[in-house]
Structures are given as structure tokens and as C-alpha cells.
Amino acid sequence: MQEPIAPLTPDDAPPHVARDETPLFLFVCKDGPNGPARRVEHLEGHLTHVEANWRRYVVAGPMRRPGETALMGSYFLVRAADADEAWAVMRGDPYITSDLYASIELTEITPSIGLWVGGKIWADAASIAHRATGG
């Protein structure tokens, strides 16, 4: 059983950490109407692909609606020099080539705060104000 998440205290301020400049691309993929059948049909090829490319993924996995067990899509957070390189990784996945997904949304992200980041990437608001509009 998973331990409950501890409540925050005033002493739990996140430490400042260096920003990781590695470009990251988030693919949010929503299943089409034949999702379950296509997932089963292409599961072995999908697993072979993601295992062969596991160092390219920061994290990846299936998605569900809260409280449900049925899968409704997948997410992939891919390390790549640019969007074209990220797509090159994804295009090798049978889940992509089989048209399992009805939609795929690609977004470039900047990890900024949290456990995975190890803290927060800003010293104060003034240090990142220029980025608030995309700068």
C-alpha cells in the first residue's frame, strides 16, 4: 500500500535548482474508437519500441479518467533536440503507426517545480518575469 502524501509545513520551501536546458516534448495521445482492440493488437510491438528507446522518455504511460480503469490514451515525455527529432522517436511506435490514437497533441515543456525537478528553477519572481510572456 502506498504511503499517504505528507502535508506541507512552512519549512518545506522548495530549494532553488539549476534549470535543465534539455528540450522536452509532451505527447498527449487520445485513443480512437477502436482503442482497446488496437492496444491489444499492437502491445508487443509498442513495448519493444518503448523499451528500445527508454532513455528518450522522461516518463510515459497510459491515461485513464479519474476513478475509471479503462484506458483512454497515453502520454509520452520525450527528450529530443527539437520537435522533429521527438516525432522521429514517436513514429517508430506501432501505437502511432496503427492509428490507435484519434488525436495527438504535442507541446514543448519546461519542468519548473516539483519532486522530479528537485525543487524550483527560479530564485524569485523577478528572475523569471521575462519568461512569463515566453521570453
Side-chain angles (χ1 to χ4, degrees):
M1 187 166 145
Q2 188 174 2
E3 291 185 37
I5 297 174
L8 296 178
T9 67
D11 296 331
D12 285 333
H16 177 257
V17 296
R19 179 179 180 203
D20 183 348
E21 298 294 332
T22 306
L24 297 175
F25 298 89
L26 177 63
F27 289 82
V28 176
C29 309
K30 304 273 181 80
D31 287 3
N34 297 321
R38 295 231 173 158
R39 280 182 178 277
V40 171
E41 180 182 355
H42 298 285
L43 178 61
E44 193 169 321
H46 165 70
L47 295 178
T48 297
H49 175 78
V50 296
E51 288 177 12
N53 292 280
W54 76 273
R55 291 184 186 274
R56 300 304 299 270
Y57 303 107
V58 173
V59 66
M63 299 186 309
R64 301 171 186 77
R65 288 179 181 79
E68 295 185 11
T69 57
L71 302 182
M72 50 79 68
S74 305
Y75 66 93
F76 304 85
L77 186 53
V78 179
R79 296 170 52 102
D82 56 33
D84 289 339
E85 185 177 297
W87 268 113
V89 171
M90 295 300 291
R91 282 192 192 101
D93 189 331
Y95 276 9
I96 299 290
T97 59
S98 71
D99 293 326
L100 162 67
Y101 303 120
S103 67
I104 299 173
E105 183 178 334
L106 173 60
T107 307
E108 186 171 355
I109 70 156
T110 301
S112 299
I113 190 169
L115 293 173
W116 165 44
V117 174
K120 62 179 183 172
I121 65 169
W122 61 89
D124 54 42
S127 69
I128 61 165
H130 67 284
R131 294 187 185 273
T133 59

